[in-house]
């Protein structure tokens, strides 16, 4: 009887294992872990630069008018536009870093630079909202004189400029948290100008100068909402939580229901960067089963059902205690199931009814 070896540690890294997708573009289904946005990185950069130009030019004029009109709403809009510009610059830098190939100690490359950018955008939104909220409340209590006509005209121009910038940003790939962070900055600024325009009309028609501070509070609420979302989503990636919409228990139940699969443990699902899910797991296969066929079937299932194209599966036969015993026949249900991996991370999933 011929002796043969199994290479059971299979790495489905978008093409490093049989049945995987090519690695170069993260699978035939499209970049970023199997979804396609149809926009090239160069096109993304062009749209971001167009939005940046519109914002910087208008921001310079708004600062001058804001101080001349003594309008907190305009000054807060200008401050927000400064963070818009900074967020776009940060996004462009992060895109450049993320495009660098993996080398040396950075085995994933610098893809998470985009998540750092998204988190920085979220934090700046939260910090700025706190400052503007304080100033708005102070002005509600002791409102200064505000030139409503200047506020209204500048806000109307700002709406046009921000519609153009928002349209440019919407043309880029917003499945990236990096781009989405910059987009949320610009979109919030558009809402801010709408609120400021309404405040300008109210001040001109009624003389109610507190409308300027109320408009600022509306902007603060929008900034808080966008900032919390960005910090939460980027934080999930840094904490290596499962991607939103993917339930690890459901994934494990589907995997353990496959033919010949007896147990799954050490299952981890995380995101390398936004839109690039990854998975690793230890699979126990029934004695005599074809480990390679099981692995290929599981990788296909992960790719087609969850669009996880970066999967690392360690596959062993049940009862396989060390490298010298390629196949040790052990009846299912014996203690070896519990002892196979003495330090499992996370729940153990087995075929048949079970609790999570």
């Amino acid at each position: 009887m011929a002796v043969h070896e199994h290479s059971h540690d299979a790495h489905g890294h978008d093409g490093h294992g049989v049945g995987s997708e090519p690695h170069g573009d993260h699978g035939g289904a499209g970049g970023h872990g199997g979804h396609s946005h149809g926009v090239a990185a160069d096109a993304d950069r062009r749209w971001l630069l167009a939005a940046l130009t519109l914002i910087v030019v208008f921001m310079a004029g708004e600062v001058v008018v804001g101080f001349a009109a003594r309008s907190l709403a305009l000054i807060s809009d200008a401050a927000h536009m400064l963070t818009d510009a900074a967020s776009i610059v940060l996004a462009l830098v992060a895109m450049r870093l993320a495009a660098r190939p993996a080398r040396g100690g950075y085995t994933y490359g610098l893809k998470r630079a985009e998540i750092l950018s998204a988190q920085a955008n979220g934090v700046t939104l939260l910090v700025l909202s706190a400052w503007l909220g304080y100033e708005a409340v102070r002005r509600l209590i002791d409102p200064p004189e505000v030139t409503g006509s200047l506020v209204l005209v500048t806000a109307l121009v700002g709406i046009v400029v921000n519609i153009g910038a928002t349209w440019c940003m919407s043309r880029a790939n917003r499945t990236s948290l990096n781009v989405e962070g910059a987009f949320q900055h610009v979109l919030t600024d558009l809402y801010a100008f709408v609120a400021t325009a309404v405040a300008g009309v109210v001040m001109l028609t009624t003389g109610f100068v507190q409308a300027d501070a109320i408009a600022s509070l509306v902007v603060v609420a929008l900034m808080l909402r966008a900032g919390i979302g960005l910090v939460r989503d980027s934080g999930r990636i840094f904490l290596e939580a499962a991607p939103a919409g993917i339930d690890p228990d459901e994934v494990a139940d589907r995997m353990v229901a496959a033919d010949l699969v007896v147990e799954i443990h050490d299952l981890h699902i995380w995101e390398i960067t936004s839109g690039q899910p990854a998975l690793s797991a230890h699979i126990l296969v029934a004695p005599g089963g074809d480990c390679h066929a099981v692995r290929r079937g599981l990788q296909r299932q992960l790719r087609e059902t969850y669009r996880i194209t970066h999967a690392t599966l360690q596959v062993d036969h049940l009862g396989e205690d060390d490298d010298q015993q390629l196949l040790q026949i052990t009846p299912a249900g014996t203690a070896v199931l519990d002892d196979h991996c003495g330090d499992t991370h996370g729940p153990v999933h087995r075929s048949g009814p079970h609790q999570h």
Side-chain angles (χ1 to χ4, degrees):
M1 180 175 175
V3 177
H4 61 279
E5 295 184 358
H6 292 275
S7 177
H8 296 319
D9 291 351
H11 302 276
H13 292 187
D14 303 341
H16 293 284
V18 179
S20 298
E21 298 288 354
H23 181 68
D25 57 359
H26 302 284
H32 303 300
H35 67 265
S36 177
H37 54 77
V39 181
D42 286 342
D44 283 346
R45 283 191 286 271
R46 286 197 298 271
W47 288 118
L48 291 178
L49 284 170
L52 178 62
T53 301
L54 286 172
I55 287 170
V56 170
V57 170
F58 179 76
M59 178 185 67
E62 188 181 23
V63 170
V64 175
V65 176
F67 279 105
R70 301 185 67 189
S71 168
L72 178 64
L74 286 182
I75 294 172
S76 65
D77 285 338
H80 191 202
M81 291 195 84
L82 178 61
T83 66
D84 291 347
S87 71
I88 295 174
V89 171
L90 195 59
L92 288 166
V93 172
M95 288 172 67
R96 182 72 66 180
L97 291 174
R100 292 183 178 180
R103 60 167 60 95
Y106 295 92
T107 54
Y108 282 129
L110 296 174
K111 294 185 181 299
R112 284 201 175 170
E114 294 190 317
I115 309 306
L116 281 170
S117 169
Q119 191 161 74
N121 283 331
V123 170
T124 56
L125 280 171
L126 294 178
V127 171
L128 195 57
S129 65
W131 174 69
L132 291 176
Y134 169 78
E135 285 294 321
V137 171
R138 190 173 66 84
R139 288 197 171 206
L140 273 176
I141 298 171
D142 183 20
E145 287 296 325
V146 179
T147 307
S149 57
L150 283 176
V151 172
L152 177 59
V153 172
T154 307
L156 291 175
V157 176
I159 289 173
V160 174
V161 170
N162 273 268
I163 286 175
T166 302
W167 181 80
C168 290
M169 297 288 292
S170 70
R171 302 286 293 175
N173 170 27
R174 287 178 53 210
T175 58
S176 164
L177 264 185
N178 177 43
V179 175
E180 178 65 12
F183 176 81
Q184 287 297 332
H185 266 272
V186 176
L187 184 62
T188 303
D189 215 41
L190 173 60
Y191 295 149
F193 276 113
V194 172
T196 303
V198 172
V201 171
V202 170
M203 286 185 289
L204 279 175
T205 56
T206 68
F208 183 63
V209 292
Q210 284 94 339
D212 184 71
I214 293 172
S216 297
L217 287 175
V218 172
V219 177
V220 165
L222 294 170
M223 291 169 67
L224 278 173
R225 180 176 177 274
I228 289 171
L230 285 171
V231 171
R232 181 193 62 234
D233 293 344
S234 59
R236 285 183 61 86
I237 292 178
F238 282 128
L239 293 174
E240 310 228 322
I246 296 182
D247 181 359
D249 287 330
E250 177 192 315
V251 174
D253 287 346
R254 282 179 178 267
M255 293 174 70
V256 83
D259 291 341
L260 301 176
V261 176
V262 179
E263 175 182 306
I264 293 176
H265 54 257
D266 286 349
L267 173 68
H268 302 285
I269 308 175
W270 70 100
E271 282 187 286
I272 299 169
T273 186
S274 53
Q276 293 191 25
L279 177 147
S280 68
H282 194 175
I283 317 294
L284 293 188
V285 176
D290 186 339
C291 288
H292 300 297
V294 170
R295 170 180 57 77
R296 289 193 295 269
L298 291 175
Q299 287 176 335
R300 188 181 311 112
Q301 179 189 87
L302 292 169
R303 184 171 61 248
E304 294 174 354
T305 306
Y306 300 102
R307 296 191 174 185
I308 298 176
T309 59
H310 191 113
T312 304
L313 304 179
Q314 178 184 340
V315 187
D316 292 302
H317 285 117
L318 178 65
E320 201 169 52
D321 291 329
D322 55 53
D323 293 338
Q324 304 304 316
Q325 296 174 288
L326 292 177
L327 181 61
Q328 175 182 323
I329 304 299
T330 307
T334 59
V336 73
L337 261 176
D338 293 325
D339 296 338
H340 183 85
C341 187
D343 185 25
T344 60
H345 304 281
V348 175
H349 299 264
R350 296 173 183 151
S351 56
H354 60 279
Q355 292 184 340
H356 294 135

